[in-house]
Amino acid sequence: QVHLVESGGGSVQSGGSLRLSCAVSGYIYTAYCMGWFRQAPGKERWGVAAIDSDGRTSYADSVKGRFTISQDYARNTLYLQMNSLKPEDTAMYYCAADFGDYCSGSGLALIDVNYWGQGTQVTVSS
């Protein structure tokens, strides 16, 4: 059984930074695509960034240049460094994984996710 556990959310002022972490436990596949999704109240969940087991990354246009996704293979941990945060970044952030496949050219699609974390809240005030 695979478990994804997020941490690092919180409240920050506009322009601030946060780093989210996602600890992965259980069986780890050789090939995978992992990513971060976010969902604001009343809105759909959508992909923010993704990275696969070969280190290829992809980002949503709205976060390019501000967010960086990375992974620590030794610690089985996924990160999302978020800089220059804006109020519109306020959402619940979810760690997600598609084990057994590499990321597609557009990253990790919602339909391909087979494991989710419980989510961590990020609130950015103006």
Side-chain angles (χ1 to χ4, degrees):
Q1 186 72 15
V2 176
H3 294 282
L4 308 179
V5 180
E6 302 99 332
S7 60
S11 297
V12 65
Q13 290 192 327
S14 182
S17 298
L18 285 173
R19 189 176 80 156
L20 306 183
S21 299
C22 173
V24 183
S25 61
Y27 183 77
I28 306 298
Y29 291 74
T30 301
Y32 58 80
C33 178
M34 293 193 67
W36 293 93
F37 286 72
R38 71 188 190 190
Q39 187 170 21
K43 297 191 176 180
E44 293 186 351
R45 189 174 298 189
W46 58 274
V48 174
I51 188 168
D52 66 17
S53 44
D54 280 353
R56 289 181 291 251
T57 61
S58 61
Y59 298 91
D61 287 343
S62 60
V63 306
K64 280 181 182 176
R66 300 189 299 121
F67 291 10
T68 303
I69 190 170
S70 62
Q71 57 192 337
D72 185 327
Y73 294 102
R75 297 182 178 183
N76 290 336
T77 302
L78 181 72
Y79 300 101
L80 184 67
Q81 177 66 44
M82 306 185 293
N83 299 328
S84 302
L85 282 161
K86 305 175 181 180
E88 51 264 43
D89 294 319
T90 295
M92 185 71 80
Y93 283 71
Y94 297 90
C95 177
D98 173 16
F99 289 119
D101 288 311
Y102 295 100
C103 293
S104 67
S106 56
L108 178 58
L110 191 68
I111 195 172
D112 292 327
V113 174
N114 44 43
Y115 290 98
W116 290 99
Q118 82 285 356
T120 186
Q121 178 67 36
V122 171
T123 303
V124 185
S125 58
S126 58

